Amino acid sequence: MRSMRAMTGKSLITALTVVLALGVVGGISAQTEQPAPAADVSGAEIEQFAQALQGIQGAQEEIQQDMQRIVGGSSLGEERFGEIHDSVNTTGDVPGDASEGEVESYSAIVQELSAVQQDLQMQMASIVEEQGLDVERFNAIVMAIQQDEQLWERVQGSMN
């Protein structure tokens, strides 16, 4: 995994957009938040945001490893799980060649992954709040960063 400092602005923002679109940070959808005008983001908030962002990335990396272990250690393995998951995502159904045992394993893995994602959601909200921001404000700053390169540069400066 790349460190926070090694991530480019665009790749980190893309990752954050995915996180918000999934409602992972506190379960708040990005579409419901109003971006924080860059001028309204204080230096203290930049520091809090940067610290929260680094904590979130660490939590995401740990959870990603857990998820890989869950899938890789299953009877399906990563490749077959991926095939079935792709089919479910594109067609809404498991592939026709999936056995009953594979379908049961797939369902059990998805349930376990869902529990892991819920745990991540709670961890991320706690990380944000531990840094002195509420989740709504954190999400508003994420949206503002997407619209303001200078704001992102301020955040990066706080992370170095």
Side-chain angles (χ1 to χ4, degrees):
M1 294 287 158
R2 295 188 296 177
S3 73
M4 178 64 72
R5 290 182 187 110
M7 290 188 83
T8 65
K10 294 297 180 192
S11 65
L12 183 58
I13 294 302
T14 300
L16 287 172
T17 301
V18 170
V19 165
L20 289 171
L22 294 173
V24 175
V25 178
I28 296 175
S29 172
Q31 291 80 18
T32 63
E33 296 302 311
Q34 294 298 316
D40 292 346
V41 180
S42 71
E45 285 180 316
I46 294 289
E47 289 292 327
Q48 292 167 317
F49 181 87
Q51 292 298 314
L53 204 52
Q54 289 172 325
I56 287 170
Q57 185 195 21
Q60 287 175 321
E61 288 174 359
E62 288 177 29
I63 295 295
Q64 184 176 16
Q65 289 173 0
D66 289 347
M67 294 172 94
Q68 288 173 336
R69 181 184 42 74
I70 290 166
V71 173
S74 72
S75 61
L76 290 178
E78 288 182 31
E79 186 175 338
R80 185 60 176 156
F81 177 85
E83 291 169 1
I84 294 171
H85 194 66
D86 288 345
S87 177
V88 168
N89 284 336
T90 57
T91 68
D93 203 1
V94 295
D97 67 343
S99 71
E100 186 176 320
E102 286 178 324
V103 172
E104 288 174 9
S105 292
Y106 173 78
S107 294
I109 294 167
V110 168
Q111 286 180 354
E112 191 171 354
L113 294 176
S114 177
V116 168
Q117 288 177 327
Q118 288 175 352
D119 182 50
L120 175 61
Q121 180 178 347
M122 290 186 303
Q123 285 181 35
M124 290 169 54
S126 292
I127 289 166
V128 168
E129 291 167 356
E130 286 170 6
Q131 293 304 319
L133 291 173
D134 62 35
V135 172
E136 186 174 296
R137 182 65 176 158
F138 179 88
N139 289 344
I141 294 170
V142 167
M143 291 185 65
I145 286 171
Q146 292 174 322
Q147 299 171 8
D148 186 337
E149 184 69 28
Q150 289 179 341
L151 181 57
W152 172 242
E153 289 170 7
R154 290 174 56 201
V155 170
Q156 284 182 312
S158 292
M159 294 186 335
N160 293 332

